[in-house]
Amino acid sequence: EPYKIARNEGILDAKISAVLRKKQAFNIENEWNTDAKQNLGMELSTAYINRNIFKGADRFEFNLSGGLELQLKRDDETTQQSRVNTVELRTDFKFKFPSLIVPFKIGSGFAKRNNLPIKYNQNSSINLSYEFERRLGFYTINNASIAWQHDWYSSPRIRHIIALPSLRLVAPNQRRFSE
């Protein structure tokens, strides 16, 4: 139905339609590459997304990927070595919640009393990740991290982001280090 913009202006006739996204999604990707040293790299990645996993308009995403780097051409010195140069495995879990998760209560009454301009699209996200990398003949590294972020809009054009320092643990396997 037409909407009158102002008394002395014309009218706006708009049609709005919306399409719901699927609650769950699954994705598989494959990547291949080469370099000047005649190495061939390949990676397989999968992702699972669940929108509304905890029934509160939240989002959960799980990603898993693994890859290999192969040496296609070997010279006389490396004929005894494996063709596999590098093995990698990565996984991460991402959670996104439609409200700010902080150690104190924030609500519309609290925000008004304390002059906090939290009005639009607020959310918190947590990201947990792990990565394993083994470079055959050189090193093995385990890498785990956790990150937490809050963001909100105080107006349709002003976005605020508070990112807590991420915690990262890098654990090299020293028995697997070359000289």
Side-chain angles (χ1 to χ4, degrees):
E1 144 176 350
Y3 175 76
K4 187 158 178 115
I5 297 172
R7 272 185 277 181
N8 57 356
E9 299 275 330
I11 58 173
L12 173 67
D13 192 3
K15 180 180 179 182
I16 299 172
S17 62
V19 177
L20 291 175
R21 297 179 84 181
K22 291 184 178 181
K23 181 182 174 187
Q24 298 183 55
F26 184 74
N27 185 20
I28 297 176
E29 294 180 6
N30 191 0
E31 180 181 325
W32 295 77
N33 57 55
T34 60
D35 64 11
K37 296 180 184 179
Q38 294 191 356
N39 292 327
L40 172 67
M42 59 190 87
E43 181 175 88
L44 181 65
S45 302
T46 62
Y48 169 73
I49 298 171
N50 188 320
R51 298 170 187 92
N52 205 24
I53 191 168
F54 300 118
K55 310 286 189 243
D58 37 49
R59 179 184 169 115
F60 168 71
E61 187 173 336
F62 171 71
N63 297 297
L64 177 65
S65 64
L68 291 173
E69 181 183 85
L70 303 173
Q71 187 172 1
L72 298 178
K73 183 178 178 184
R74 297 189 291 185
D75 54 20
D76 294 337
E77 296 175 11
T78 60
T79 54
Q80 300 300 320
Q81 292 180 341
S82 169
R83 286 196 182 267
V84 177
N85 283 344
T86 307
V87 177
E88 290 182 349
L89 177 65
R90 287 184 303 279
T91 184
D92 65 16
F93 299 88
K94 296 177 185 176
F95 297 93
K96 189 170 186 178
F97 303 97
S99 62
L100 291 174
I101 299 176
V102 292
F104 50 87
K105 183 178 179 182
I106 289 184
S108 58
F110 180 88
K112 285 179 186 175
R113 284 192 306 279
N114 295 289
N115 296 322
L116 294 176
I118 299 172
K119 299 178 184 175
Y120 305 96
N121 196 15
Q122 52 185 325
N123 64 66
S124 291
S125 60
I126 301 168
N127 187 2
L128 306 166
S129 64
Y130 171 76
E131 181 176 354
F132 168 84
E133 180 180 346
R134 180 159 184 212
R135 179 89 179 173
L136 277 70
F138 294 103
Y139 61 85
T140 299
I141 293 181
N142 294 288
N143 186 352
S145 69
I146 182 170
W148 193 308
Q149 177 178 304
H150 309 293
D151 67 87
W152 72 93
Y153 289 84
S154 59
S155 75
R157 294 184 180 195
I158 300 174
R159 182 179 184 189
H160 306 273
I161 299 173
I162 299 172
L164 300 178
S166 62
L167 179 63
R168 181 170 291 253
L169 174 66
V170 179
N173 185 340
Q174 297 189 355
R175 293 184 311 238
R176 300 216 183 239
F177 270 54
S178 69
E179 295 299 321

